[in-house]
Amino acid sequence: MTSPRRDGDTWDLASSVGATATMAAMTRAIATRAALIDDPFAEPLVRAVGIDLLTRLATGEEPSGDLVGRAAIDGARVRTLFYDEFFLDAGLAQAVILASGLDSRAYRLPWPAGTVVYELDRPDVVEFKTRTLAGLGAEPTAERRVVAADLREDWPEALRAAGFDPALPTAWSAEGLLGYLPPDAQDRLLETITELSAPGSRVATESRPNPRPGEEDRTKQSLNRISELFRSENFDADMAKLRYFGKRNEAAPYLTGLGWAVTGRTVRELFEVHGLAPLEEDDLRMAEVRYVTGELTK
Ligand code: SAM
């Protein structure tokens, strides 16, 4: 039974918000099998978490069908490539992947020599990934440093303790994260990133427009439909309970207000750029999300 979100709640990769990291990796495993991206670690990581339905989907034993629609799989392509390109274009020697989940960039991107990559997520999440990938014999392609911390708490202290140097320009990512933070924690996160950023730093995240009247109800209904399908396959994840709904500051203008020069493209535009078939009626709320990057020139 999924509990509603509350301050101080915790999880591993099979529960609550942690399971969303396993779902994201499952879509990358499917997209990898379809040759849309190349993330060889997604499938073994999902398998290691051990949620039966997600393993069957990740390995192709269960057809994605209604459970993981085309938009989610093509969406995994545009999202993965967006963040991959962000880090490679930034070319900065210090990178911080916030809410890293089962993201394997520290093991698969061709980072420039000498790059230090910090991966921050809740303790059970980062420790599981480190252990599992070590067990598979995977080697990081950069100097990888793990930060076990909660983004609602004093994570800058944990980041500094791991060796982070605020005097160096940093490439930051917050992928698939913001909706799982309360609105004020999102603002604080973006402010803290800014405080820790030397001139020349870059940031990448998603900026979701505030919902139009009635839109959140439709989102919850569609999340409830997916959760029902999952439940019928013995996977109990109540997706609508995991996110924080309601009005919040949109990330892109908020970052602009903090001094970042922000550019971006909506998911709809990225589908066009990648030559993917347009999103359909049910997926239009996803189409409006903007993947944005910012550069700090202060
Ligand atoms: N970025 C990864 C990806 O795209 O595959 C994971 C995205 S997953 C949808 C959300 C991630 O946010 C999970 O790994 C979860 O543990 C992390 N997360 C959410 N709230 C967090 C918090 N307060 N502190 C640390 N991590 C958090």
Side-chain angles (χ1 to χ4, degrees):
M1 185 73 185
T2 311
S3 307
R5 300 299 313 280
R6 58 179 167 75
D7 290 352
D9 54 354
T10 62
W11 52 83
D12 59 18
L13 283 153
S15 57
S16 183
V17 188
T20 67
T22 310
M23 287 182 230
M26 174 270 288
T27 59
R28 288 194 291 271
I30 297 174
T32 295
R33 266 206 329 284
L36 293 170
I37 58 169
D38 183 16
D39 181 352
F41 302 108
E43 181 187 316
L45 283 166
V46 175
R47 199 192 277 271
V49 173
I51 298 172
D52 182 58
L53 174 64
L54 300 189
T55 299
R56 285 188 283 122
L57 286 162
T59 56
E61 191 190 317
E62 175 83 34
S64 43
D66 289 344
L67 290 164
V68 191
R70 202 242 339 149
I73 301 166
D74 283 348
R77 172 178 162 89
V78 300
R79 171 164 147 173
T80 302
L81 295 185
F82 171 82
Y83 286 97
D84 284 0
E85 282 162 18
F86 163 73
F87 281 116
L88 296 178
D89 286 352
L92 297 176
Q94 181 166 261
V96 181
I97 303 178
L98 297 167
S100 47
L102 293 177
D103 164 358
S104 64
R105 286 193 180 90
Y107 294 82
R108 65 175 179 77
L109 286 190
W111 299 95
T115 307
V116 180
V117 178
Y118 295 87
E119 289 199 87
L120 185 152
D121 207 303
R122 293 229 10 113
D124 283 345
V125 174
V126 283
E127 283 154 17
F128 177 89
K129 184 165 67 181
T130 303
R131 208 170 48 240
T132 305
L133 290 179
L136 290 167
E139 299 271 359
T141 48
E143 183 176 337
R144 173 177 181 260
R145 297 189 188 158
V146 166
V147 185
D150 194 300
L151 291 162
R152 297 162 296 183
E153 293 166 9
D154 188 5
W155 59 272
E157 178 53 36
L159 186 60
R160 279 207 188 84
F164 173 83
D165 182 355
L168 296 176
T170 302
W172 302 87
S173 71
E175 176 186 9
L177 165 67
L178 300 183
Y180 300 107
L181 293 176
D184 59 325
Q186 171 178 316
D187 293 349
R188 269 205 314 281
L189 179 87
L190 300 179
E191 287 156 16
T192 307
I193 289 174
T194 308
E195 283 158 20
L196 293 174
S197 289
S201 293
R202 306 268 194 105
V203 66
T205 192
E206 295 111 46
S207 186
R208 191 177 287 274
N210 268 303
R212 289 181 281 267
E215 206 171 51
E216 280 202 335
D217 288 338
R218 287 195 295 281
T219 302
K220 284 181 190 163
Q221 282 160 13
S222 93
L223 290 172
N224 287 340
R225 268 198 304 279
I226 300 270
S227 305
E228 268 308 307
L229 286 173
F230 284 164
R231 253 193 299 278
S232 69
E233 298 284 340
N234 293 322
F235 172 39
D236 185 12
D238 194 337
M239 306 292 293
K241 280 196 189 155
L242 299 179
R243 283 206 211 148
Y244 287 89
F245 288 94
K247 200 166 154 36
R248 63 174 62 217
N249 287 313
E250 289 177 30
Y254 203 75
L255 283 167
T256 305
L258 291 170
W260 297 82
V262 176
T263 56
R265 281 190 162 132
T266 62
V267 171
R268 176 185 284 114
E269 289 165 344
L270 287 171
F271 267 54
E272 261 174 52
V273 169
H274 288 278
L276 299 166
L279 288 156
E280 288 161 19
E281 188 66 35
D282 272 2
D283 303 309
L284 291 186
R285 73 202 146 79
M286 165 179 168
E288 311 276 295
V289 173
R290 279 175 76 206
Y291 285 89
V292 297
T293 61
E295 183 167 8
L296 200 61
T297 49
K298 71 180 177 190

